[in-house]
Amino acid sequence: MVDVAEEEMDNPTFRSDTVLSDVHLHCPSKRHFMVRLNAVGQPVFLSYFKLLWSTEDLASGKHVGEIPTGTEHRCRSGDELCEKDSSNMKKEGELNSELEGVEALLDDDGDLEVVRRPQSASDLEAEDLLRDIVCPVILMKGKEDAFEDEEQECICSDVVKIEHTMATPLEDVGKQVWRAAFLLADYILSARDTFRCCSVLELGGGTGITSIILGTVAKRVYCTDVGEDLLAMCEQNVALNKHLMEPGGGEVKVKELDWLKDEFCTDPEAPYSWSEEEIADLLDHCSVIMAADVFYDDDLTDALFRTLYRITHNLRNSCTVYLALEKRLNFTLRHMDVTCEAYSHFRNTLNDLENLQDGKMKYTVEPIKLDFCQFLVYERIEQL
Protein backbone atom coordinates (compact mmCIF):
# COMPACT_ATOMS: atom_id res chain seq x y z
CA MET A 1 0.00 0.00 0.00
CA VAL A 2 1.33 3.40 -0.94
CA ASP A 3 0.58 6.71 0.69
CA VAL A 4 1.82 9.78 -1.18
CA ALA A 5 3.26 12.32 1.24
CA GLU A 6 1.82 15.80 0.91
CA GLU A 7 5.23 17.53 0.91
CA GLU A 8 6.86 15.31 -1.72
CA MET A 9 4.22 14.22 -4.21
CA ASP A 10 6.87 12.55 -6.38
CA ASN A 11 8.30 10.34 -3.63
CA PRO A 12 5.93 7.56 -2.46
CA THR A 13 6.11 6.76 1.24
CA PHE A 14 5.08 3.38 2.58
CA ARG A 15 3.01 3.56 5.75
CA SER A 16 1.51 0.71 7.71
CA ASP A 17 -1.68 2.63 8.54
CA THR A 18 -2.71 3.24 4.93
CA VAL A 19 -5.96 1.54 3.89
CA LEU A 20 -6.57 0.95 0.18
CA SER A 21 -10.07 0.35 -1.16
CA ASP A 22 -10.24 -2.36 -3.80
CA VAL A 23 -13.66 -1.52 -5.21
CA HIS A 24 -12.18 0.57 -8.02
CA LEU A 25 -10.15 -2.46 -9.16
CA HIS A 26 -13.25 -4.52 -9.93
CA CYS A 27 -14.43 -2.70 -13.05
CA PRO A 28 -17.00 -0.39 -11.43
CA SER A 29 -16.61 2.28 -14.11
CA LYS A 30 -14.92 3.31 -17.32
CA ARG A 31 -12.65 6.00 -15.93
CA HIS A 32 -11.44 7.52 -12.65
CA PHE A 33 -10.74 11.26 -12.81
CA MET A 34 -8.72 13.04 -10.17
CA VAL A 35 -10.77 16.20 -9.75
CA ARG A 36 -9.16 17.94 -6.77
CA LEU A 37 -7.29 17.66 -3.50
CA ASN A 38 -9.49 17.71 -0.40
CA ALA A 39 -8.92 19.82 2.71
CA VAL A 40 -6.27 17.43 4.07
CA GLY A 41 -4.41 17.04 0.77
CA GLN A 42 -5.83 13.68 -0.30
CA PRO A 43 -6.52 13.15 -4.03
CA VAL A 44 -10.26 12.99 -4.74
CA PHE A 45 -11.40 10.90 -7.70
CA LEU A 46 -14.67 10.93 -9.62
CA SER A 47 -15.90 7.48 -10.67
CA TYR A 48 -18.89 6.34 -12.69
CA PHE A 49 -20.53 3.26 -11.19
CA LYS A 50 -22.73 1.48 -13.71
CA LEU A 51 -26.18 0.29 -12.71
CA LEU A 52 -27.13 -2.97 -14.42
CA TRP A 53 -30.66 -1.65 -14.76
CA SER A 54 -31.72 1.97 -15.11
CA THR A 55 -33.75 3.71 -12.41
CA GLU A 56 -36.36 4.52 -15.05
CA ASP A 57 -36.96 0.78 -15.50
CA LEU A 58 -37.13 0.35 -11.74
CA ALA A 59 -39.60 3.22 -11.40
CA SER A 60 -41.77 1.67 -14.12
CA GLY A 61 -42.27 -1.37 -11.88
CA LYS A 62 -40.51 -3.97 -14.01
CA HIS A 63 -40.41 -7.30 -12.19
CA VAL A 64 -37.19 -8.03 -10.33
CA GLY A 65 -36.93 -11.43 -11.98
CA GLU A 66 -36.58 -9.72 -15.35
CA ILE A 67 -33.50 -7.80 -14.21
CA PRO A 68 -30.25 -9.40 -15.38
CA THR A 69 -27.40 -10.40 -13.12
CA GLY A 70 -23.99 -8.83 -13.50
CA THR A 71 -22.68 -11.63 -15.74
CA GLU A 72 -25.74 -11.57 -17.99
CA HIS A 73 -25.47 -7.80 -18.32
CA ARG A 74 -21.82 -7.91 -19.26
CA CYS A 75 -22.55 -10.53 -21.91
CA ARG A 76 -25.53 -8.55 -23.19
CA SER A 77 -23.62 -5.28 -23.43
CA GLY A 78 -20.55 -6.92 -24.92
CA ASP A 79 -21.91 -9.79 -26.99
CA GLU A 80 -19.16 -9.36 -29.53
CA LEU A 81 -16.49 -9.71 -26.88
CA CYS A 82 -18.17 -12.74 -25.32
CA GLU A 83 -18.40 -14.48 -28.69
CA LYS A 84 -14.74 -13.77 -29.38
CA ASP A 85 -13.71 -15.05 -25.98
CA SER A 86 -15.67 -18.25 -26.58
CA SER A 87 -14.13 -18.67 -30.03
CA ASN A 88 -10.63 -18.05 -28.71
CA MET A 89 -11.11 -20.55 -25.88
CA LYS A 90 -12.27 -23.15 -28.38
CA LYS A 91 -9.23 -22.56 -30.61
CA GLU A 92 -6.94 -22.72 -27.61
CA GLY A 93 -8.44 -26.01 -26.51
CA GLU A 94 -7.98 -27.46 -30.01
CA LEU A 95 -4.36 -26.30 -30.06
CA ASN A 96 -3.67 -27.85 -26.65
CA SER A 97 -5.13 -31.18 -27.76
CA GLU A 98 -2.94 -31.14 -30.87
CA LEU A 99 0.18 -30.56 -28.78
CA GLU A 100 -0.60 -33.40 -26.35
CA GLY A 101 1.83 -36.26 -26.81
CA VAL A 102 4.21 -34.25 -29.01
CA GLU A 103 7.82 -34.37 -27.82
CA ALA A 104 9.45 -31.10 -26.83
CA LEU A 105 11.58 -29.47 -29.52
CA LEU A 106 15.15 -28.43 -28.71
CA ASP A 107 17.29 -25.96 -30.64
CA ASP A 108 20.96 -26.51 -31.59
CA ASP A 109 22.12 -25.42 -28.13
CA GLY A 110 19.71 -27.76 -26.40
CA ASP A 111 17.35 -25.00 -25.28
CA LEU A 112 13.63 -25.72 -25.23
CA GLU A 113 11.68 -24.12 -28.06
CA VAL A 114 8.19 -23.27 -26.83
CA VAL A 115 5.46 -23.45 -29.45
CA ARG A 116 3.30 -20.36 -29.15
CA ARG A 117 -0.01 -19.65 -30.80
CA PRO A 118 0.29 -16.60 -33.07
CA GLN A 119 -1.74 -13.60 -31.96
CA SER A 120 -4.48 -12.78 -34.44
CA ALA A 121 -6.07 -9.40 -35.14
CA SER A 122 -9.25 -10.53 -33.38
CA ASP A 123 -7.21 -11.30 -30.23
CA LEU A 124 -5.79 -7.79 -30.28
CA GLU A 125 -9.29 -6.39 -30.71
CA ALA A 126 -10.59 -8.36 -27.71
CA GLU A 127 -7.56 -7.27 -25.71
CA ASP A 128 -8.38 -3.62 -26.41
CA LEU A 129 -11.96 -4.13 -25.23
CA LEU A 130 -10.81 -5.84 -22.04
CA ARG A 131 -8.29 -3.08 -21.40
CA ASP A 132 -11.10 -0.54 -21.51
CA ILE A 133 -13.11 -2.56 -19.00
CA VAL A 134 -10.17 -2.70 -16.56
CA CYS A 135 -10.52 1.05 -15.99
CA PRO A 136 -7.23 2.83 -16.67
CA VAL A 137 -6.64 5.64 -14.20
CA ILE A 138 -6.62 9.10 -15.77
CA LEU A 139 -5.54 11.95 -13.52
CA MET A 140 -6.95 15.44 -13.90
CA LYS A 141 -6.62 18.60 -11.89
CA GLY A 142 -9.30 21.23 -11.54
CA LYS A 143 -12.82 21.32 -12.88
CA GLU A 144 -11.82 21.59 -16.54
CA ASP A 145 -12.92 18.38 -18.17
CA ALA A 146 -10.91 17.26 -21.16
CA PHE A 147 -13.35 14.39 -21.51
CA GLU A 148 -16.48 16.50 -21.65
CA ASP A 149 -18.20 14.24 -24.18
CA GLU A 150 -17.74 11.24 -21.93
CA GLU A 151 -19.02 13.21 -18.93
CA GLN A 152 -22.18 14.15 -20.83
CA GLU A 153 -22.65 10.56 -21.91
CA CYS A 154 -22.60 9.44 -18.26
CA ILE A 155 -25.33 11.81 -17.08
CA CYS A 156 -28.04 9.22 -17.52
CA SER A 157 -30.37 7.03 -15.51
CA ASP A 158 -28.05 4.03 -15.21
CA VAL A 159 -24.85 5.63 -13.85
CA VAL A 160 -24.04 6.71 -10.28
CA LYS A 161 -21.31 9.37 -10.08
CA ILE A 162 -19.28 9.29 -6.86
CA GLU A 163 -16.40 11.40 -5.61
CA HIS A 164 -14.12 9.37 -3.34
CA THR A 165 -10.55 8.73 -2.30
CA MET A 166 -8.62 5.54 -3.03
CA ALA A 167 -6.13 5.33 -0.14
CA THR A 168 -6.45 6.91 3.32
CA PRO A 169 -5.45 6.41 6.96
CA LEU A 170 -7.84 4.21 8.93
CA GLU A 171 -9.71 7.20 10.39
CA ASP A 172 -10.66 8.38 6.88
CA VAL A 173 -11.89 5.11 5.37
CA GLY A 174 -15.37 6.62 5.09
CA LYS A 175 -14.07 8.62 2.12
CA GLN A 176 -13.57 5.40 0.15
CA VAL A 177 -16.12 3.12 -1.50
CA TRP A 178 -16.60 -0.37 -0.03
CA ARG A 179 -18.29 -3.52 -1.28
CA ALA A 180 -20.80 -3.80 1.58
CA ALA A 181 -22.30 -0.47 0.46
CA PHE A 182 -22.91 -2.01 -2.97
CA LEU A 183 -24.40 -5.14 -1.36
CA LEU A 184 -26.82 -3.03 0.67
CA ALA A 185 -27.67 -0.99 -2.44
CA ASP A 186 -28.40 -4.25 -4.31
CA TYR A 187 -30.77 -5.33 -1.56
CA ILE A 188 -32.56 -1.98 -1.61
CA LEU A 189 -33.14 -2.23 -5.37
CA SER A 190 -34.24 -5.86 -5.17
CA ALA A 191 -36.78 -5.09 -2.41
CA ARG A 192 -37.65 -1.54 -3.40
CA ASP A 193 -41.35 -1.89 -2.49
CA THR A 194 -40.21 -2.43 1.12
CA PHE A 195 -38.53 0.97 1.18
CA ARG A 196 -40.91 2.96 -0.99
CA CYS A 197 -42.01 6.21 0.69
CA CYS A 198 -40.11 5.38 3.91
CA SER A 199 -38.11 7.74 6.09
CA VAL A 200 -34.65 6.24 6.55
CA LEU A 201 -31.54 6.92 8.64
CA GLU A 202 -28.13 5.76 7.43
CA LEU A 203 -25.35 5.59 9.99
CA GLY A 204 -21.80 6.03 8.70
CA GLY A 205 -22.97 6.94 5.20
CA GLY A 206 -19.43 7.74 3.95
CA THR A 207 -19.48 8.74 0.27
CA GLY A 208 -23.29 8.40 0.31
CA ILE A 209 -23.68 5.79 -2.42
CA THR A 210 -26.16 3.65 -0.43
CA SER A 211 -28.23 6.68 0.58
CA ILE A 212 -28.31 7.86 -3.04
CA ILE A 213 -29.61 4.48 -4.22
CA LEU A 214 -32.10 4.52 -1.35
CA GLY A 215 -33.17 8.00 -2.39
CA THR A 216 -34.48 6.57 -5.68
CA VAL A 217 -37.24 4.73 -3.80
CA ALA A 218 -37.57 6.20 -0.27
CA LYS A 219 -39.33 9.44 0.62
CA ARG A 220 -36.56 10.91 2.79
CA VAL A 221 -33.08 9.69 3.72
CA TYR A 222 -30.92 11.16 6.47
CA CYS A 223 -27.36 10.26 5.47
CA THR A 224 -25.11 10.76 8.50
CA ASP A 225 -21.42 10.64 9.34
CA VAL A 226 -18.77 12.81 11.03
CA GLY A 227 -16.13 15.18 9.67
CA GLU A 228 -16.82 18.31 7.68
CA ASP A 229 -14.59 17.26 4.78
CA LEU A 230 -16.30 13.86 4.47
CA LEU A 231 -19.80 15.33 4.78
CA ALA A 232 -19.01 17.95 2.12
CA MET A 233 -17.92 15.16 -0.24
CA CYS A 234 -21.10 13.23 0.55
CA GLU A 235 -23.25 16.31 -0.12
CA GLN A 236 -21.45 16.81 -3.44
CA ASN A 237 -22.24 13.21 -4.40
CA VAL A 238 -25.91 13.70 -3.57
CA ALA A 239 -25.94 16.78 -5.83
CA LEU A 240 -24.17 14.87 -8.64
CA ASN A 241 -26.91 12.20 -8.59
CA LYS A 242 -29.99 14.36 -8.10
CA HIS A 243 -31.24 13.24 -11.53
CA LEU A 244 -31.53 9.66 -10.22
CA MET A 245 -33.78 10.65 -7.32
CA GLU A 246 -35.99 13.21 -9.06
CA PRO A 247 -38.29 10.69 -10.85
CA GLY A 248 -39.35 9.17 -7.50
CA GLY A 249 -39.37 12.44 -5.58
CA GLY A 250 -36.85 11.16 -3.03
CA GLU A 251 -34.77 13.47 -0.84
CA VAL A 252 -31.36 12.85 0.77
CA LYS A 253 -30.26 15.12 3.63
CA VAL A 254 -26.61 15.00 4.73
CA LYS A 255 -26.25 15.43 8.50
CA GLU A 256 -23.64 15.03 11.21
CA LEU A 257 -24.17 12.23 13.70
CA ASP A 258 -21.32 11.41 16.08
CA TRP A 259 -21.71 8.03 17.77
CA LEU A 260 -19.45 9.16 20.61
CA LYS A 261 -21.95 11.86 21.60
CA ASP A 262 -25.33 11.35 23.22
CA GLU A 263 -27.18 14.14 21.44
CA PHE A 264 -27.80 15.37 17.91
CA CYS A 265 -25.74 18.39 16.89
CA THR A 266 -28.19 21.33 16.86
CA ASP A 267 -25.73 24.22 16.79
CA PRO A 268 -26.98 26.44 13.92
CA GLU A 269 -23.40 27.68 13.36
CA ALA A 270 -22.09 24.14 12.80
CA PRO A 271 -22.24 22.77 9.24
CA TYR A 272 -24.56 19.78 8.74
CA SER A 273 -26.30 20.28 12.08
CA TRP A 274 -29.90 19.25 12.76
CA SER A 275 -32.87 21.53 13.17
CA GLU A 276 -35.47 20.72 15.81
CA GLU A 277 -37.96 20.02 12.99
CA GLU A 278 -35.61 17.48 11.37
CA ILE A 279 -35.04 15.65 14.65
CA ALA A 280 -38.80 15.52 15.25
CA ASP A 281 -39.37 14.27 11.70
CA LEU A 282 -36.77 11.52 12.15
CA LEU A 283 -38.17 10.34 15.49
CA ASP A 284 -41.80 10.50 14.30
CA HIS A 285 -41.44 8.85 10.90
CA CYS A 286 -38.20 6.81 10.67
CA SER A 287 -38.93 3.12 10.11
CA VAL A 288 -35.60 1.96 8.63
CA ILE A 289 -32.00 2.36 9.83
CA MET A 290 -29.03 1.22 7.74
CA ALA A 291 -25.27 0.88 8.05
CA ALA A 292 -22.71 -0.62 5.67
CA ASP A 293 -19.12 -1.61 6.41
CA VAL A 294 -18.77 0.31 9.66
CA PHE A 295 -17.60 -2.61 11.85
CA TYR A 296 -13.81 -2.45 11.66
CA ASP A 297 -12.96 -1.00 15.09
CA ASP A 298 -14.26 -2.45 18.36
CA ASP A 299 -14.70 0.91 20.08
CA LEU A 300 -16.66 2.31 17.13
CA THR A 301 -18.77 -0.86 17.00
CA ASP A 302 -19.68 -0.39 20.68
CA ALA A 303 -20.46 3.28 20.04
CA LEU A 304 -22.65 2.40 17.05
CA PHE A 305 -24.75 -0.06 19.04
CA ARG A 306 -25.18 2.48 21.84
CA THR A 307 -26.37 4.99 19.23
CA LEU A 308 -28.71 2.39 17.74
CA TYR A 309 -30.23 1.70 21.14
CA ARG A 310 -30.62 5.41 21.95
CA ILE A 311 -32.29 6.28 18.64
CA THR A 312 -34.59 3.24 18.42
CA HIS A 313 -35.63 3.81 22.04
CA ASN A 314 -36.90 7.29 21.06
CA LEU A 315 -38.64 6.34 17.78
CA ARG A 316 -42.41 6.56 17.71
CA ASN A 317 -42.75 3.46 15.49
CA SER A 318 -41.06 0.08 15.32
CA CYS A 319 -37.98 0.01 13.14
CA THR A 320 -35.97 -2.40 10.99
CA VAL A 321 -32.18 -2.10 11.02
CA TYR A 322 -30.18 -3.40 8.03
CA LEU A 323 -26.48 -4.04 8.62
CA ALA A 324 -24.09 -5.06 5.84
CA LEU A 325 -20.41 -5.82 6.22
CA GLU A 326 -17.46 -7.69 4.80
CA LYS A 327 -15.65 -10.19 7.01
CA ARG A 328 -11.97 -9.30 6.68
CA LEU A 329 -9.60 -12.09 7.59
CA ASN A 330 -6.21 -11.24 9.11
CA PHE A 331 -3.30 -13.23 10.48
CA THR A 332 -2.59 -12.22 14.08
CA LEU A 333 0.46 -13.00 16.17
CA ARG A 334 -1.75 -13.15 19.26
CA HIS A 335 -3.66 -16.12 17.86
CA MET A 336 -0.97 -17.34 15.46
CA ASP A 337 -3.84 -17.97 13.08
CA VAL A 338 -6.10 -16.29 10.53
CA THR A 339 -8.94 -14.60 12.43
CA CYS A 340 -11.64 -12.00 11.95
CA GLU A 341 -11.64 -10.22 15.29
CA ALA A 342 -13.67 -7.18 14.21
CA TYR A 343 -16.43 -9.45 12.89
CA SER A 344 -16.36 -11.61 16.03
CA HIS A 345 -16.77 -8.53 18.22
CA PHE A 346 -19.64 -7.34 16.00
CA ARG A 347 -21.42 -10.71 16.35
CA ASN A 348 -20.96 -10.76 20.13
CA THR A 349 -22.31 -7.22 20.45
CA LEU A 350 -25.24 -8.08 18.19
CA ASN A 351 -26.03 -11.10 20.39
CA ASP A 352 -25.92 -8.88 23.48
CA LEU A 353 -28.43 -6.52 21.85
CA GLU A 354 -30.74 -9.40 20.96
CA ASN A 355 -30.55 -10.78 24.51
CA LEU A 356 -31.15 -7.37 26.07
CA GLN A 357 -33.90 -7.46 28.70
CA ASP A 358 -34.61 -3.98 29.98
CA GLY A 359 -38.39 -4.09 29.80
CA LYS A 360 -38.42 -1.29 27.20
CA MET A 361 -37.06 -2.63 23.92
CA LYS A 362 -36.94 -6.00 22.19
CA TYR A 363 -34.60 -6.75 19.29
CA THR A 364 -34.83 -9.72 16.94
CA VAL A 365 -31.92 -10.63 14.67
CA GLU A 366 -32.50 -12.34 11.32
CA PRO A 367 -29.96 -13.05 8.54
CA ILE A 368 -30.87 -12.13 4.96
CA LYS A 369 -30.14 -14.62 2.18
CA LEU A 370 -27.81 -13.18 -0.43
CA ASP A 371 -29.66 -14.66 -3.40
CA PHE A 372 -31.07 -11.32 -4.59
CA CYS A 373 -30.10 -9.82 -7.96
CA GLN A 374 -26.92 -7.84 -8.50
CA PHE A 375 -27.62 -4.33 -9.78
CA LEU A 376 -24.14 -2.77 -9.54
CA VAL A 377 -20.87 -3.95 -11.02
CA TYR A 378 -18.65 -5.21 -8.18
CA GLU A 379 -17.29 -8.53 -6.96
CA ARG A 380 -19.80 -10.16 -4.61
CA ILE A 381 -17.36 -12.29 -2.63
CA GLU A 382 -18.33 -14.92 -0.08
CA GLN A 383 -17.08 -12.78 2.82
CA LEU A 384 -19.91 -10.26 2.25
Side-chain angles (χ1 to χ4, degrees):
M1 296 178 289
V2 181
D3 187 17
V4 182
E6 199 175 343
E7 305 80 25
E8 302 179 27
M9 294 297 286
D10 295 330
N11 299 322
T13 304
F14 291 88
R15 296 180 181 172
S16 60
D17 64 343
T18 300
V19 181
L20 174 66
S21 171
D22 57 358
V23 165
H24 64 282
L25 300 177
H26 295 289
C27 310
S29 62
K30 294 174 65 178
R31 296 287 188 273
H32 301 277
F33 302 117
M34 177 181 161
V35 291
R36 60 185 171 86
L37 295 177
N38 62 18
V40 293
Q42 298 162 340
V44 175
F45 295 83
L46 175 64
S47 292
Y48 306 141
F49 294 93
K50 179 77 172 176
L51 280 164
L52 298 181
W53 206 256
S54 73
T55 52
E56 289 173 359
D57 291 319
L58 293 174
S60 67
K62 187 169 286 261
H63 193 271
V64 171
E66 299 173 35
I67 297 173
T69 62
T71 305
E72 289 169 344
H73 174 83
R74 282 193 288 274
C75 287
R76 185 188 63 185
S77 61
D79 289 333
E80 185 181 354
L81 177 59
C82 292
E83 288 169 10
K84 286 178 181 175
D85 286 345
S86 177
S87 174
N88 290 337
M89 288 174 64
K90 185 177 179 182
K91 288 177 184 175
E92 211 168 303
E94 291 172 355
L95 181 62
N96 289 336
S97 63
E98 288 174 10
L99 291 175
E100 283 181 8
V102 178
E103 292 183 0
L105 299 176
L106 304 178
D107 63 13
D108 295 337
D109 298 328
D111 297 323
L112 178 65
E113 286 188 341
V114 180
V115 179
R116 299 188 183 277
R117 179 170 61 89
Q119 198 168 29
S120 65
S122 61
D123 293 331
L124 293 170
E125 224 175 290
E127 229 175 68
D128 287 339
L129 286 168
L130 285 170
R131 188 177 295 113
D132 186 54
I133 293 174
V134 171
C135 321
V137 176
I138 296 178
L139 301 182
M140 296 180 51
K141 189 127 184 208
K143 293 294 181 183
E144 299 82 9
D145 192 353
F147 301 89
E148 187 175 345
D149 293 339
E150 186 169 13
E151 277 263 15
Q152 293 301 321
E153 180 186 333
C154 289
I155 301 176
C156 54
S157 61
D158 60 353
V159 170
V160 184
K161 297 170 66 176
I162 295 293
E163 285 193 2
H164 62 98
T165 59
M166 287 190 181
T168 64
L170 185 63
E171 61 267 21
D172 281 339
V173 292
K175 297 175 183 176
Q176 300 186 44
V177 182
W178 301 97
R179 273 184 289 233
F182 286 110
L183 182 72
L184 192 51
D186 276 346
Y187 181 74
I188 292 164
L189 292 174
S190 67
R192 57 193 184 278
D193 287 342
T194 303
F195 305 102
R196 203 178 299 280
C197 300
C198 286
S199 287
V200 184
L201 170 67
E202 184 179 9
L203 300 173
T207 61
I209 189 167
T210 304
S211 284
I212 290 166
I213 294 297
L214 192 54
T216 65
V217 291
K219 178 183 178 182
R220 183 172 294 112
V221 182
Y222 291 98
C223 180
T224 67
D225 216 310
V226 291
E228 187 175 342
D229 192 47
L230 171 59
L231 292 170
M233 177 190 289
C234 183
E235 189 173 53
Q236 168 71 359
N237 288 333
V238 172
L240 285 172
N241 295 281
K242 186 176 284 188
H243 63 283
L244 296 178
M245 296 172 278
E246 284 175 347
E251 178 186 24
V252 176
K253 292 190 172 188
V254 178
K255 296 292 175 182
E256 178 184 326
L257 184 57
D258 191 339
W259 306 339
L260 301 178
K261 297 179 180 178
D262 292 333
E263 302 294 336
F264 292 95
C265 176
T266 56
D267 181 1
E269 300 297 321
Y272 309 105
S273 63
W274 297 72
S275 68
E276 295 296 338
E277 292 77 11
E278 288 169 336
I279 295 173
D281 175 65
L282 175 73
L283 298 180
D284 287 345
H285 300 108
C286 179
S287 59
V288 174
I289 298 177
M290 291 189 161
D293 240 334
V294 294
F295 305 102
Y296 55 88
D297 177 89
D298 291 355
D299 291 337
L300 286 178
T301 296
D302 293 340
L304 171 66
F305 276 99
R306 286 196 299 270
T307 300
L308 266 179
Y309 176 80
R310 176 172 58 84
I311 292 176
T312 53
H313 178 71
N314 291 309
L315 293 179
R316 173 173 290 185
N317 304 307
S318 60
C319 179
T320 304
V321 182
Y322 295 90
L323 306 175
L325 71 159
E326 179 180 337
K327 292 183 281 185
R328 293 181 174 83
L329 304 174
N330 297 290
F331 180 84
T332 62
L333 292 175
R334 184 155 65 94
H335 295 92
M336 291 302 292
D337 197 2
V338 175
T339 62
C340 191
E341 292 185 296
Y343 177 75
S344 299
H345 184 77
F346 159 74
R347 288 296 312 185
N348 291 335
T349 312
L350 191 63
N351 290 337
D352 291 342
L353 188 68
E354 187 176 24
N355 296 327
L356 181 69
Q357 295 180 351
D358 63 353
K360 301 175 183 177
M361 302 289 294
K362 178 175 175 55
Y363 298 88
T364 304
V365 178
E366 297 178 5
I368 295 176
K369 290 183 179 180
L370 303 185
D371 55 357
F372 45 86
C373 290
Q374 185 166 339
F375 292 84
L376 286 149
V377 182
Y378 67 101
E379 186 183 19
R380 192 183 281 187
I381 59 174
E382 63 180 351
Q383 286 79 22
L384 280 173

